[in-house]
Amino acid sequence: MLDAFFNSPYIDSLPTLFQGLKMTVLITLIGLFFGFILGAIVGIARLAKSKLIRGISVVYIEAVRGTPILVQVLFIYYGLTEDLIGLSINALTAAIVAIAINAGAYIAEIVRGAVYSIDKGQSEAGRSLGLTESQTMRYIIWPQAFKRMLPPLGNQFVISLKDTSLFSVIAIGELLYMGKQYYNVTYEIFETLAMVCVLYLMITVPASIYLRRLERKLDV
């Protein structure tokens, strides 16, 4: 029985699928790294006193959240041609930029909500200690807000990880694309896609369990 399982199409597809899984995780982690930086800047900008800065941040958030990530990655890869921007964008770069821009809009709202949820008395306490507005944000508000951001940031990781499956349209070698490449040769469609699902679940299920435990631990 075990010999039959280990010699089955399910197992045979794994070397190819693991290549795609590594690419999926790479795109997700690098994209979210830059997405967090972008989201933190835009999220804080949403709380700025300047109407212009707030307006620019709102336009970015609404434009990104109002369009599908599939359209965004196609626009980046095919729309931003070398003649237009002076740079040649390869599929991997386009995928990472799409994740960063897309996740950044959602992270911006996570950041804004977390910072806004901190009691205003904390800001007043910082001022009473002689801290500037930026110092108050850095040393008092941000550490407390970041704690509240962790669970939704984890959820964004899961969402962005699954979004990478759409990047097969630009022939990036992520998990689903590699699965398609494999079953186009072997015609083992059911077995291959079943293993694709299993590999996604191997990441998303533990991540979801960890996030629930983190929420209970942080009591947020």
Side-chain angles (χ1 to χ4, degrees), residues 9 13 179 181-189 192:
S13 65
Q181 294 295 99
Y182 184 81
Y183 71 62
N184 282 338
V185 174
T186 63
Y187 300 102
E188 295 162 348
I189 300 175
T192 304

Side-chain angles (χ1 to χ4, degrees), residues 1-8 10-11:
M1 180 69 73
L2 286 176
D3 288 341
F5 175 74
F6 285 114
N7 292 315
S8 69
Y10 296 97
I11 301 302

Side-chain angles (χ1 to χ4, degrees), residues 10 35 62 67 133 159 168 185 187:
Y10 296 97
E62 295 304 324
T67 54
E133 188 173 345
I159 292 169
S168 60
V185 174
Y187 300 102

Side-chain angles (χ1 to χ4, degrees), residues 23-185:
M23 182 61 73
T24 290
V25 173
L26 177 70
I27 293 170
T28 304
L29 292 180
I30 297 178
L32 284 178
F33 172 77
F34 290 107
F36 178 76
I37 295 173
L38 179 60
I41 294 171
V42 176
I44 293 174
R46 285 275 282 113
L47 301 170
K49 295 178 181 178
S50 169
K51 290 184 178 180
L52 176 61
I53 294 175
R54 288 203 312 271
I56 293 172
S57 62
V58 169
V59 168
Y60 161 71
I61 292 170
E62 295 304 324
V64 173
R65 296 204 306 172
T67 54
I69 190 171
L70 180 58
V71 174
Q72 293 164 14
V73 74
L74 289 173
F75 179 81
I76 293 168
Y77 187 58
Y78 293 113
L80 298 180
T81 62
E82 187 171 1
D83 291 338
L84 185 63
I85 63 173
L87 295 173
S88 178
I89 300 177
N90 59 37
L92 178 58
T93 301
I96 291 172
V97 171
I99 287 290
I101 291 175
N102 185 269
Y106 291 92
I107 291 172
E109 287 297 274
I110 293 172
V111 170
R112 181 192 64 82
V115 171
Y116 192 75
S117 69
I118 303 301
D119 190 273
K120 292 183 179 180
Q122 299 290 322
S123 297
E124 295 171 359
R127 297 294 179 81
S128 67
L129 293 173
L131 299 177
T132 64
E133 188 173 345
S134 61
Q135 288 173 329
T136 300
M137 173 63 72
R138 179 179 178 183
Y139 296 113
I140 297 179
I141 304 300
W142 184 260
Q144 297 180 70
F146 185 73
K147 175 182 174 182
R148 301 184 182 186
M149 294 177 208
L150 289 176
L153 286 176
N155 289 330
Q156 185 59 49
F157 166 78
V158 173
I159 292 169
S160 294
L161 180 81
K162 293 186 293 183
D163 281 346
T164 60
S165 63
L166 299 171
F167 297 161
S168 60
V169 297
I170 59 171
I172 187 75
E174 47 75 47
L175 180 54
L176 181 60
Y177 180 82
M178 295 304 289
K180 289 180 178 179
Q181 294 295 99
Y182 184 81
Y183 71 62
N184 282 338
V185 174

